[in-house]
Amino acid sequence: MQRLVFWLVYPFLWLISILPFRLFYLFSDLVFLVVFYLVGYRRKTVLENLKLAFPEKSGTELKKIRKDFYRHMVDMFLEMIKSLSISNEELKKRFKFTNIEEIQKIRDMNKSILLACGHYASYEWMNALQLYGLDYKGFGVYKKVKNRYFDQLAKDIRGRYEGVLISTTKATRVITENEKKGIRGVYAMIADQSPKISRARAWTNFMGVDVPVFLGLEHLSHSLDMVVVYLHVEKVKRGYYEASFKTISYEPAKERQFFITRNYFDKLESQIKQEPRYYLWTHKRWKHRNAPKSRDAVIIKD
């Protein structure tokens, strides 16, 4: 059944990917109308999240942010599909890195990088980093897709740029093994995911609400001496992004406890407050806000 679904859907995805950009974004406008007005995908969840994050904003303001967000979300989803056929030249033009010298500086230190990303602006075209001729292997930590054919498709897309996807369940082991072998790499991971409440051992304030957080950045950077860099992505205009590297720490082991985690969330929160429409508000990030904390829970403060 998985194979049948894949082969029924894949030709349609390919046709979308080869549309000229003008038609591509016209199609995105049509999809937005369906998703927002007809389907109403998670509209209630989005509004609830926005109310939590921006209690000072009026209902009218929040609804405008919600509508703008859905336009962006549909664009970003279709841009992921565009990755099937986009040329290297076009990708590099549409997703620019403004301070690539920061990555080269870290490479000269002979250290690997934990590239901390958020569900913000776009993370679908960050593969463009592999087009800058850096002497780094690119890895993406991702949640495995249930349909194994679509999962392989995701790997193949990244493989176009010599990138490798690592499932979240294998990330710690693979990264540790690579470091022991001296394989230096850039490991991109979205770090604002919400852990299952049964695994919530650390909490911090995010957009004014206490939420459980993962400590992967903290633990890996300390134990393996990996530089932590925040990927600051801005949407310049429709279909165009600029990314800059903001190093959180060159020597994480020397930082105070939880400095890495708190600094990451501060940077992400700053971006969200500046342009809230570009955050992934359908993500149920605050679903555990009222859950009781375990006795051994750590509260990460500023």
Side-chain angles (χ1 to χ4, degrees):
M1 179 59 73
Q2 288 187 354
R3 188 176 185 179
L4 176 62
V5 171
F6 174 78
W7 287 113
L8 286 174
V9 174
Y10 181 77
F12 181 60
L13 298 180
W14 178 258
L15 287 174
I16 294 173
S17 79
I18 62 175
L19 286 174
F21 273 99
R22 187 175 66 84
L23 293 178
F24 177 81
Y25 284 113
L26 282 175
F27 177 72
S28 182
D29 289 338
L30 291 175
V31 175
F32 159 74
L33 294 175
V34 173
V35 171
F36 186 75
Y37 290 106
L38 296 182
V39 179
Y41 173 69
R42 292 193 175 182
R43 282 182 54 164
K44 184 178 179 180
T45 296
V46 171
L47 193 58
E48 288 176 350
N49 284 342
L50 286 170
K51 286 179 179 178
L52 282 171
F54 299 102
E56 76 283 1
K57 293 187 182 294
S58 68
T60 301
E61 288 176 302
L62 295 177
K63 287 179 179 179
K64 184 181 185 307
I65 293 172
R66 180 176 67 174
K67 190 173 182 179
D68 290 344
F69 155 70
Y70 274 92
R71 291 185 184 279
H72 166 70
M73 182 190 73
V74 173
D75 277 0
M76 188 176 66
F77 174 76
L78 292 178
E79 286 164 0
M80 175 182 66
I81 296 173
K82 191 69 174 174
S83 299
L84 288 169
S85 62
I86 192 170
S87 69
N88 290 356
E89 294 75 18
E90 190 69 34
L91 178 62
K92 195 172 180 180
K93 182 174 72 174
R94 288 177 173 270
F95 200 101
K96 294 182 178 180
F97 291 92
T98 61
N99 62 333
I100 202 72
E101 65 277 3
E102 178 64 12
I103 298 300
Q104 186 58 55
K105 173 183 175 180
I106 299 168
R107 184 66 185 92
D108 292 341
M109 295 168 63
N110 193 31
K111 287 190 175 186
S112 291
I113 297 172
L114 290 174
L115 190 60
C117 311
H119 284 95
Y120 187 85
S122 177
Y123 38 86
E124 296 300 341
W125 285 348
M126 72 170 73
N127 292 309
L129 180 61
Q130 297 298 107
L131 303 176
Y132 283 78
L134 296 169
D135 183 24
Y136 261 132
K137 187 74 175 177
F139 299 87
V141 178
Y142 82 117
K143 188 175 181 180
K144 193 172 183 179
V145 181
K146 291 183 179 179
N147 185 308
R148 63 190 179 97
Y149 296 97
F150 283 107
D151 188 70
Q152 185 59 49
L153 178 63
K155 292 179 181 178
D156 291 343
I157 290 173
R158 271 65 178 186
R160 286 182 57 197
Y161 310 100
E162 299 182 356
V164 177
L165 286 186
I166 311 170
S167 68
T168 52
T169 56
K170 298 179 180 179
T172 298
R173 175 174 60 81
V174 172
I175 295 172
T176 301
E177 289 178 354
N178 284 349
E179 286 299 295
K180 287 181 179 178
K181 295 175 183 177
I183 300 172
R184 299 294 177 244
V186 178
Y187 296 88
M189 55 178 66
I190 297 177
D192 59 338
Q193 302 276 18
S194 180
K196 292 180 180 180
I197 195 61
S198 60
R199 299 175 59 190
R201 295 294 179 267
W203 296 68
T204 197
N205 187 282
F206 180 44
M207 297 300 294
V209 183
D210 285 341
V211 296
V213 295
F214 284 110
L215 294 176
L217 287 174
E218 199 84 29
H219 293 155
L220 284 170
S221 63
H222 277 252
S223 62
L224 300 175
D225 192 30
M226 301 173 73
V227 177
V228 183
V229 178
Y230 177 73
L231 184 66
H232 181 104
V233 184
E234 295 182 343
K235 190 169 186 175
V236 179
K237 60 181 179 179
R238 195 176 198 183
Y240 289 86
Y241 304 87
E242 285 189 355
S244 58
F245 303 104
K246 297 185 179 296
T247 298
I248 293 177
S249 179
Y250 295 109
E251 298 181 288
K254 294 183 178 181
E255 306 291 356
R256 68 180 184 274
Q257 192 176 34
F258 305 125
F259 169 84
I260 302 297
T261 302
R262 188 60 255 172
N263 200 287
Y264 162 76
F265 277 101
D266 285 344
K267 284 179 165 50
L268 177 58
E269 187 171 311
S270 176
Q271 282 201 272
I272 295 172
K273 288 180 177 179
Q274 186 173 1
E275 283 283 9
R277 56 184 165 167
Y278 298 141
Y279 189 61
L280 188 63
W281 296 104
T282 50
H283 179 47
K284 296 182 179 180
R285 186 62 189 89
W286 294 273
K287 62 184 177 181
H288 297 313
R289 63 187 181 278
N290 295 319
K293 300 176 179 64
S294 63
R295 291 183 178 180
D296 60 343
V298 174
I299 310 300
I300 303 172
K301 298 181 179 180
D302 293 342

